[in-house]
């Protein structure tokens, strides 16, 4: 049985195709009307009126005009058949129940381009009927757009084959790190960045937005009032700096021999503004009560790949308070 979403798509497709069929007849008819009635009456003014200076071309189509209409009619018919084929809902012949809604004719991409080509063709038909055949020059926007898309695709392929994605190699070209401060330079340290509020729900939340600490990046990691300050005992944390991945110089060393402070979040990763995750890393924590007793993932800046900034285990996320920057 089709769900509500499929039924909405089917109804929208049926309406779109119905309008398409109507306009496939209406637009050429309107073009003929404008050409042979509107322009014709201007080209041949009535005898009882004063002479007019005629600036419009003849209402009678030239061979060139007929040729243009013919070659542009072919792609419109092809696209009409294509949209009808992919977008027509299928229903049970006996019960009328919806079997398939067809592809959504409102989706972006190739389907959207099909509609655009049809619309441009119709606009040229009506425009040429109103002001002259020179209006067909607007039709060149279709092949020019196609050439631009091909160039964009080839340029993207060429850049991807030349090496890793630049954001993984260097900070963002837009320097947003100005005005940011690391925890060690803030007077009052952790207490200065954690909210103190009578509302228990907001108490201990991060008072400021959290940013990537790399100079030259400054990407927003998390907005304020999202995470809660948490202290983790020394026997509940294992190192997040693997020996195979040297710690970047801009990240301070985490002393796990003493309780450590973290911004803690439990829920969806969508709570972050920008974050990336490593592959799951198995843990060998000996303490069965350790918060790291399950495979975890390292957290890093999604823009410059700086990390680890913290770790994630299941739906719990921990950001080291001194591995993010703050704008006070």
């Amino acid at each position: 049985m089709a769900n509500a979403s499929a039924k909405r798509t089917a109804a929208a497709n049926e309406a779109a195709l119905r309008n398409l069929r109507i306009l496939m007849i209406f637009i050429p008819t309107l073009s003929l009307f404008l050409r042979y009635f509107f322009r014709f009456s201007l080209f041949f003014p009535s005898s009882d009126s004063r002479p007019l200076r005629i600036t419009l071309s003849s209402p009678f189509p030239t061979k060139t005009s007929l040729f243009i209409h013919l070659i542009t009619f072919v792609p419109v018919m092809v696209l009409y058949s294509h949209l009808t084929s992919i977008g027509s809902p299928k229903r049970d012949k006996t019960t009328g129940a919806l079997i398939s809604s067809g592809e959504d004719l409102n989706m972006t991409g190739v389907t959207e381009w099909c509609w655009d080509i049809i619309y441009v063709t119709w606009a040229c038909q009506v425009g040429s009927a109103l002001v002259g055949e020179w209006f067909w020059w607007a039709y060149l926007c279709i092949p020019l757009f196609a050439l631009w898309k091909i160039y964009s695709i080839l340029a993207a392929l060429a850049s991807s084959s030349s090496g890793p994605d630049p954001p993984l190699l260097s900070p963002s070209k837009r320097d947003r790190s100005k005005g940011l401060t690391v925890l060690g330079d803030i007077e009052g340290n952790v207490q200065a960045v954690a909210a103190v509020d009578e509302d228990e729900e907001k108490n201990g939340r991060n008072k400021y937005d959290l940013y990537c600490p790399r100079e030259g990046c400054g990407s927003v990691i998390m907005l304020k009032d999202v995470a809660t300050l948490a202290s983790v005992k020394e026997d509940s944390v294992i190192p997040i700096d693997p020996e195979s991945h040297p710690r970047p110089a801009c990240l301070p060393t985490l002393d796990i021999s003493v309780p450590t402070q973290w911004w803690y979040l439990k829920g969806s990763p969508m709570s972050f503004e920008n974050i990336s995750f490593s592959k799951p890393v198995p843990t060998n924590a000996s303490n069965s009560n350790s918060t790291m007793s399950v495979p975890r993932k390292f957290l890093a800046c999604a823009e410059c790949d700086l990390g680890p900034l913290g770790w994630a285990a299941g739906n719990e996320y921990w950001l080291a308070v001194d591995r993010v920057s703050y704008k006070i």
Side-chain angles (χ1 to χ4, degrees), residues 131-142:
V131 299
E133 309 307 332
W134 61 266
F135 198 88
W136 279 104
W137 284 105
Y139 195 82
L140 290 178
C141 69
I142 295 175

Side-chain angles (χ1 to χ4, degrees), residues 7-296:
K7 291 179 180 178
R8 286 194 297 268
T9 300
N13 285 359
E14 289 173 336
L17 292 175
R18 182 170 57 253
N19 293 335
L20 177 60
R21 295 187 187 98
I22 295 173
L23 291 173
M24 287 287 289
I25 299 174
F26 176 76
I27 295 298
T29 304
L30 176 64
S31 176
L32 290 173
F33 174 82
L34 294 174
R35 182 180 295 275
Y36 290 105
F37 290 91
F38 176 73
R39 290 177 62 189
F40 190 87
S41 63
L42 290 181
F43 195 83
F44 296 104
S46 59
S47 57
D48 58 347
S49 63
R50 292 191 302 172
L52 296 176
R53 179 179 293 275
I54 305 302
T55 57
L56 293 176
S57 58
S58 170
F60 301 108
T62 62
K63 291 182 178 179
T64 302
S65 176
L66 291 174
F67 176 73
I68 293 175
H69 277 79
L70 178 62
I71 62 174
T72 56
F73 176 76
V74 173
V76 169
M77 286 303 300
V78 172
L79 295 176
Y80 167 77
S81 300
H82 172 68
L83 293 174
T84 302
S85 174
I86 66 172
S88 296
K90 297 180 181 180
R91 299 182 181 275
D92 187 277
K93 295 181 180 179
T94 305
T95 62
L98 182 64
I99 300 176
S100 172
S101 64
E103 296 186 22
D104 187 359
L105 295 181
N106 290 321
M107 63 183 176
T108 58
V110 176
T111 303
E112 183 182 28
W113 300 339
C114 292
W115 288 108
D116 290 342
I117 293 173
I118 294 175
Y119 294 150
V120 171
T121 305
W122 287 344
C124 289
Q125 288 179 353
V126 175
S128 64
L130 277 172
V131 299
E133 309 307 332
W134 61 266
F135 198 88
W136 279 104
W137 284 105
Y139 195 82
L140 290 178
C141 69
I142 295 175
L144 290 176
F145 177 78
L147 291 175
W148 177 78
K149 292 299 293 185
I150 294 173
Y151 169 78
S152 301
I153 294 173
L154 293 178
L157 291 175
S159 62
S160 62
S161 62
S162 61
D165 191 10
L168 301 182
L169 299 177
S170 60
S172 170
K173 294 180 180 179
R174 297 178 298 165
D175 188 356
R176 293 160 298 190
S177 61
K178 295 181 179 179
L180 300 183
T181 308
V182 295
L183 188 65
D185 296 334
I186 300 176
E187 184 178 356
N189 208 275
V190 176
Q191 288 71 25
V193 295
V196 178
D197 200 295
E198 294 180 357
D199 187 347
E200 185 176 348
E201 185 177 346
K202 294 184 178 180
N203 193 40
R205 294 289 182 94
N206 55 308
K207 190 188 301 185
Y208 307 100
D209 295 343
L210 309 182
Y211 298 84
C212 171
R214 186 196 290 272
E215 183 177 355
C217 180
S219 176
V220 181
I221 302 295
M222 181 183 292
L223 297 180
K224 66 177 183 178
D225 295 330
V226 175
T228 305
L229 184 65
S231 178
V232 180
K233 297 180 179 180
E234 59 272 20
D235 61 348
S236 298
V237 178
I238 62 175
I240 66 171
D241 294 322
E243 297 180 358
S244 59
H245 184 83
R247 176 179 56 83
C250 59
L251 295 180
T253 303
L254 292 179
D255 186 4
I256 62 172
S257 62
V258 296
T260 50
Q261 301 289 329
W262 303 78
W263 292 119
Y264 171 73
L265 169 66
K266 185 175 183 179
S268 169
M270 298 303 292
S271 300
F272 291 91
E273 295 299 303
N274 293 286
I275 202 69
S276 63
F277 299 84
S278 70
K279 294 181 179 180
V281 179
T283 178
N284 296 319
S286 57
N287 189 344
S288 59
N289 295 323
S290 172
T291 57
M292 294 296 291
S293 60
V294 296
R296 82 282 190 196

